[in-house]
């Protein structure tokens, strides 16, 4: 079974992230790493491979040169090979451009199963898995807390907008998994060493038959007008409980008309 | 006037509050038409009309319940192709966002997700979003095709604008892809007497400091005294103390109530991303160095098991 796991190299979500002047995510000022939410996708792919399925796992990412770090991190957790799509014309792509590049790279590689995280920690839209499925013409079994691969189908549990549903789609398929799907493993020292020897292929837009104007800022279908830092919240009154902390809080809430 | 399509979020015809917010926002952009998928349109039509839906497009087909997302994509795309709306609004949630993205791809349109406000501009809708764990406020617009926009709950207060809607039944042609993912079973979210997390004006949340599932009764008692929804941090949910549907944070529910009361929650970035746009924030925590106090308009450094019951008692006393 050919498994492709899509991963993203993102600015550290615990740092102070910011924008460049032209409204894109600033990837220079903050250290980047493998998106935490993608670690769950890596983990689930590895668990499928460990469940007795004869699987070949390839990680796929798009990004500048240092996005390779995300691939090496994933390879250190396990898996077989990686594909890095890098082209300066991709910069500024929206979810449509991103999903086009990913879909072409996945088609080129071949796949039975594509595994994604539920969203990136920077863009946070969470729509790329659905767009990938739409482009690839395969089922999107997305937002899963739990999944199982059996008899050529993927079955899972999804917390939808108003109900919890059990869903099933036949392979080939795109799945996305949530941060509740199971804790991701840490790479072992041996894994880190082994990752350095695993094959990593680099592709550009021409390799994928994509014209520059289909992606990047030119191909994007929406534009940011303004990006303003919210004024930081200012700390109000902090009191130590002297035995009447609840009463004091009630007085505050009454003044604010919540009581 | 330009037609604005609004996808209705409902359970068997009971329309959820975020849909009324979408109708309210849609009226700023043009004339709202509700797109109702599934059963229960008769029940829903009155309330949709009360909030300004001039038309209700009804797709009462079993596919909508039997398969995930794609039947809604077929329905919305076909209705949009025939009505040429000026914008399409959907609720932000996994179902709403995935539907929106696929509809936009098919219509060759742009997409904006998780808007917290939508206003009309000469060139079309302008959205406001809260990004990077709610540290930035971004305005944006769609530059291609019919703007497809998903909106978060509580973006605006629903305002009635009663009309009598024209109901149009639609026969949608479902493509082979619509049957791609089968819904094997469906368990609607348990309804409690408390307000829903995304819709509540007050949210009382518990975290690691609550220290046990049974102790969440302390949080629930205060929530009930305030008429609030109950939230929980990821730590409390991961520990199995409270259901995931109540998780507030980056990967759970993002709330923006009038009052957010955090008890026993340290305030990790994961959590802050889900609540820091609340109007008033109150924190109760034993640890005076907890980062949650940096955001708090009022904070009590103390034991939540003493402070919260005393607060409940005082609320009851003040209300006589």
């Amino acid at each position: 079974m050919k498994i492709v796991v899509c991963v993203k190299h993102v600015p550290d979500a615990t740092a102070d992230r910011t924008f460049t002047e032209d409204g894109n995510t600033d990837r220079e000022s903050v250290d980047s790493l493998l998106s935490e939410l993608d670690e769950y996708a890596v983990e689930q792919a590895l668990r499928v491979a460990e469940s007795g399925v004869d699987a070949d796992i390839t990680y796929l990412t798009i990004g500048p040169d240092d996005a390779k770090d995300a691939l090496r991190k994933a390879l250190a957790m396990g898996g077989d090979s990686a594909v890095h799509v890098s082209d300066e014309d991709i910069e500024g792509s929206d979810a449509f451009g991103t999903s086009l590049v990913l879909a072409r790279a996945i088609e080129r590689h071949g796949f039975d199963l594509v595994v994604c995280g539920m969203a990136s920690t920077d863009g946070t839209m969470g729509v790329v898995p659905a767009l990938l499925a739409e482009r690839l013409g395969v089922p999107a079994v997305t937002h899963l807390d739990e999944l199982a691969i059996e008899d050529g189908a993927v079955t899972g549990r999804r917390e939808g907008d108003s109900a919890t549903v059990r869903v099933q789609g036949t392979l080939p398929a795109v799945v996305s998994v949530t941060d509740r799907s199971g804790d991701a493993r840490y790479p072992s020292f041996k894994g880190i060493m082994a990752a350095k020897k695993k094959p990593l292929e680099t592709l550009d837009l021409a390799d994928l038959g994509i014209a520059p104007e289909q992606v990047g800022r030119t191909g994007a279908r929406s534009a940011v007008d303004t990006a303003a830092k919210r004024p930081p919240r200012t700390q109000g009154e902090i009191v130590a409980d002297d035995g009447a902390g609840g009463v004091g809080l009630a007085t505050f809430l009454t003044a604010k008309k919540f009581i | 006037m330009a037609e604005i399509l609004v996808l209705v979020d409902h359970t068997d015809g009971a329309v959820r509050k975020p849909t009324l917010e979408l109708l309210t926002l849609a009226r700023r952009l043009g004339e709202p038409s509700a797109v109702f998928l599934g059963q229960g349109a008769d029940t829903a039509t009155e309330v949709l009309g009360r909030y300004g839906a001039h038309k209700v497009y009804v797709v009462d087909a079993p596919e909508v319940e039997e398969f995930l997302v794609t039947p809604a994509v077929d329905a919305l795309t076909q209705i949009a192709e025939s009505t040429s709306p000026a914008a399409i609004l959907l609720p932000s949630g996994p179902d709403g966002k995935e539907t929106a993205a696929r509809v936009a791809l098919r219509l060759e349109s742009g997409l904006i997700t998780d808007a917290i406000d939508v206003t009309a501009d000469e060139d079309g809708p302008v959205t406001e979003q809260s990004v990077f764990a709610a540290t930035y406020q971004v305005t944006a617009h769609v530059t291609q095709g019919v703007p497809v926009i998903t909106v978060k709950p509580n973006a605006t207060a629903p305002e009635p604008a009663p009309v009598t809607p024209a109901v149009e039944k639609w026969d949608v042609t479902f493509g082979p892809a619509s049957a791609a993912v089968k819904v094997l079973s469906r368990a609607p979210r348990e309804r409690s007497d408390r307000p829903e997390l995304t819709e509540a004006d007050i949210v009382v949340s518990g975290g690691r400091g609550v220290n046990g599932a049974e102790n969440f009764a302390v949080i629930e008692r205060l929530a009930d005294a305030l008429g609030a929804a109950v939230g929980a941090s990821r730590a409390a949910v991961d520990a199995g103390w409270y259901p995931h549907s109540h998780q507030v944070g980056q990967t759970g529910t993002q709330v923006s109530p009038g009052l957010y009361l955090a008890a026993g929650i340290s305030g990790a970035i994961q959590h802050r991303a889900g609540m820091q746009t609340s109007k008033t924030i109150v924190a109760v925590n034993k640890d005076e160095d907890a980062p949650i106090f940096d955001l708090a308009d009022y904070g009590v450094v103390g034991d939540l098991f003493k402070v919260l019951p005393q607060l409940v008692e005082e609320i009851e006393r003040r209300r006589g």
Side-chain angles (χ1 to χ4, degrees):
Chain A
M1 181 187 291
K2 269 186 151 177
I3 303 178
V4 178
V5 184
C6 300
V7 298
K8 189 172 179 186
H9 194 231
V10 297
D12 186 350
T14 60
D16 282 328
R17 292 169 292 177
T18 181
F19 283 96
T20 59
E21 273 178 27
D22 49 12
N24 286 309
T25 302
D26 183 352
R27 300 183 192 278
E28 304 285 314
S29 64
V30 171
D31 283 345
S32 289
L33 37 73
L34 171 63
S35 172
E36 185 210 324
L37 293 173
D38 293 340
E39 291 184 16
Y40 299 98
V42 175
E43 177 65 30
Q44 288 305 314
L46 294 172
R47 289 189 193 184
V48 169
E50 286 159 1
S51 71
V53 178
D54 182 20
D56 175 88
I57 299 175
T58 298
Y59 302 106
L60 169 62
T61 199
I62 306 173
D65 205 40
D66 64 352
K68 280 194 183 82
D69 295 352
L71 295 173
R72 292 287 177 208
K73 165 79 188 283
L75 285 169
M77 291 168 72
D80 303 289
S81 63
V83 176
H84 176 206
V85 185
S86 186
D87 196 309
E88 54 187 28
D89 288 322
I90 297 174
E91 201 194 332
S93 290
D94 61 8
F96 300 102
T98 303
S99 63
L100 176 65
V101 175
L102 291 174
R104 289 282 172 84
I106 291 167
E107 280 168 339
R108 183 180 187 274
H109 181 81
F111 71 104
D112 299 293
L113 180 67
V114 177
V115 189
C116 305
M118 63 190 281
S120 64
T121 55
D122 57 348
T124 71
M125 292 177 80
V127 299
V128 164
L131 288 173
L132 270 181
E134 180 83 23
R135 290 189 185 279
L136 295 169
V138 300
V141 197
T142 45
H143 214 78
L144 303 181
D145 291 339
E146 209 179 83
L147 88 159
I149 310 260
E150 260 171 20
D151 305 328
V154 50
T155 309
R157 189 184 71 219
R158 164 185 172 103
E159 291 269 349
D161 292 5
S162 55
T164 302
V165 290
R166 287 200 68 78
V167 290
Q168 186 176 62
T170 51
L171 297 178
V174 174
V175 308
S176 75
V177 297
T178 71
D179 55 339
R180 305 181 65 219
S181 56
D183 285 341
R185 67 195 64 191
Y186 289 102
S188 64
F189 179 71
K190 211 175 128 198
I192 294 167
M193 296 313 287
K196 293 179 180 166
K197 298 198 184 88
K198 291 177 183 173
L200 192 157
E201 185 185 17
T202 302
L203 303 173
D204 62 14
L205 286 176
D207 294 324
L208 298 174
I210 296 172
E213 61 274 14
Q214 289 177 276
V215 296
R217 222 156 296 146
T218 329
R221 304 177 185 180
S222 57
V224 168
D225 301 312
T226 62
K229 203 169 169 66
R230 271 176 171 273
R233 290 194 79 104
T234 47
Q235 195 182 59
E237 191 184 353
I238 308 295
V239 298
D241 182 21
D242 55 0
V247 175
L249 181 47
T251 303
F252 173 82
L253 295 178
T254 305
K256 290 279 188 183
K257 304 206 179 348
F258 290 114
I259 298 175
Chain B
M1 209 179 196
E3 188 170 359
I4 310 295
L5 296 183
V6 170
L7 182 66
V8 177
D9 181 15
H10 70 96
T11 306
D12 297 329
V15 178
R16 294 151 64 86
K17 191 174 152 223
T19 300
L20 310 180
E21 296 163 8
L22 292 184
L23 289 169
T24 305
L25 290 174
R27 299 205 306 267
R28 297 180 184 169
L29 311 172
E31 212 167 74
S33 294
V35 177
F36 185 97
L37 310 179
Q39 295 186 322
D42 294 346
T43 325
T45 301
E46 191 273 331
V47 66
L48 296 172
R50 202 184 324 141
Y51 286 87
H54 284 248
K55 287 183 185 165
V56 180
Y57 298 122
V58 179
V59 181
D60 186 358
E63 285 85 348
V64 171
E65 315 269 320
E66 289 167 7
F67 303 102
L68 188 67
V69 173
T70 31
V73 177
D74 281 346
L76 207 49
T77 307
Q78 284 165 39
I79 292 170
E81 278 168 346
S82 127
T83 57
S84 306
I88 304 174
L89 306 185
L90 303 92
S92 270
D95 303 357
K97 289 208 272 192
E98 290 180 19
T99 305
R102 299 179 80 144
V103 167
L105 186 61
R106 291 190 193 179
L107 295 175
E108 296 185 20
S109 290
L111 167 74
I112 289 172
T113 60
D114 297 317
I116 54 167
D117 198 12
V118 183
T119 49
D121 187 65
E122 291 167 11
D123 305 324
V126 174
T127 59
E128 198 168 313
Q129 292 161 289
S130 187
V131 305
F132 293 161
T135 54
Y136 269 83
Q137 205 88 344
V138 166
T139 59
H141 68 279
V142 163
T143 53
Q144 181 183 320
V146 183
V148 182
I149 300 166
T150 78
V151 183
K152 284 192 168 192
N154 269 347
T156 190
E159 286 164 25
V163 288
T164 305
V167 178
E168 284 182 31
K169 293 220 185 293
W170 270 76
D171 283 321
V172 171
T173 313
F174 294 104
S178 73
V181 181
K182 215 187 217 158
V183 175
L184 303 175
S185 66
R186 185 185 296 270
R189 196 98 63 238
E190 269 180 56
R191 293 197 72 85
S192 75
D193 294 335
R194 297 192 184 97
E196 282 203 43
L197 193 53
T198 49
E199 305 173 5
D201 188 47
I202 303 180
V203 175
V204 180
S205 285
R208 202 185 295 274
V210 176
N211 201 24
E214 64 287 355
N215 296 344
F216 256 85
V218 174
I219 304 292
E220 290 177 336
R221 269 200 290 278
L222 175 59
D224 291 340
L226 289 166
V230 175
S233 71
R234 182 170 168 183
V237 170
D238 282 352
W241 300 340
Y242 221 69
H244 173 257
S245 51
H246 292 262
Q247 183 177 317
V248 173
Q250 178 119 49
T251 56
T253 302
Q254 285 143 47
V255 298
S256 199
L259 170 65
Y260 189 86
L261 197 152
I265 293 176
S266 66
I269 180 94
Q270 225 283 349
H271 191 73
R272 295 208 303 270
M275 48 65 77
Q276 66 183 345
T277 56
S278 304
K279 279 163 207 81
T280 299
I281 296 175
V282 169
V284 178
N285 202 302
K286 265 200 236 179
D287 174 10
E288 62 176 331
D289 296 322
I292 191 81
F293 285 124
D294 299 340
L295 314 177
D297 298 289
Y298 190 90
V300 182
V301 181
D303 181 354
L304 73 95
F305 296 105
K306 294 197 174 108
V307 177
L308 265 49
Q310 188 182 67
L311 174 58
V312 171
E313 210 172 283
E314 184 65 13
I315 290 169
E316 283 163 0
R317 194 186 67 76
R318 287 181 190 222
R319 284 186 178 148

